[in-house]
Amino acid sequence: MLDAAEQFAAFQQDGSFLTDGPLEPPAPGQSSAQAHEAAFARWARRSFALGAEQTQKYLRVARTFTRADVVGKTLGIESLNQIALADPRLRPTLWTLAQDERLSSGALAEGRQSGRRVLRGERGDERGDLDAAVAATILAAQRRARRQERA
């Protein structure tokens, strides 16, 4: 999965996706960077039937992880994206939940959001309490996984 994400990001960065000729001039009020992004989005949709949100997941994963981060892991883009979105301090916990417990991306998302709220002090916990954030991440993810199993 990382190979695909890295290739995708390289195409975006170096412009090699421009197989139909040079980039069109920016539209009025549009920067050249915005024109580049719009052309890349059109290419991703045409070539791979990927919408903007899915395209951003691949790019985020490519920007966040190294080969060493993913070697030996068997996760899809949805789970990798949830881990990439997480505060770096919570990523090891999410890796464990994803890889060892095989939790879904939805369960990882719920855990990530719960841990983030604790780190921000939004749940009455002491702001930045990593142990409490890790515990909240695990609890919320496992709770969501149990709900999914019953559904």
Side-chain angles (χ1 to χ4, degrees), residues 73-76 95-105 145:
K73 300 204 171 62
T74 56
L75 302 177
W95 278 116
T96 299
L97 292 168
Q99 193 65 29
D100 296 348
E101 296 190 33
R102 306 305 292 171
L103 298 190
S104 70
S105 61

Side-chain angles (χ1 to χ4, degrees), residues 69-134:
D69 292 330
V70 300
V71 71
K73 300 204 171 62
T74 56
L75 302 177
I77 192 66
E78 299 298 330
S79 293
L80 288 170
N81 181 58
Q82 288 304 319
I83 297 168
L85 286 167
D87 182 290
R89 297 170 291 176
L90 296 176
R91 287 181 188 154
T93 301
L94 290 169
W95 278 116
T96 299
L97 292 168
Q99 193 65 29
D100 296 348
E101 296 190 33
R102 306 305 292 171
L103 298 190
S104 70
S105 61
L108 296 176
E110 200 154 313
R112 172 183 61 79
Q113 292 165 357
S114 184
R116 181 192 67 221
R117 285 191 293 274
V118 171
L119 289 174
R120 291 182 177 175
E122 296 173 8
R123 290 185 9 166
D125 302 290
E126 186 174 325
R127 183 181 175 110
D129 184 343
L130 183 57
D131 290 337
V134 167

Side-chain angles (χ1 to χ4, degrees), residues 12 22 27 29-30 44 55-56 64 69 75 113 116 129 135 140 144:
Q12 182 212 28
Q30 186 181 46
T55 297
Q56 288 307 310
T64 304
D69 292 330
L75 302 177
Q113 292 165 357
R116 181 192 67 221
D129 184 343
R144 169 76 181 264

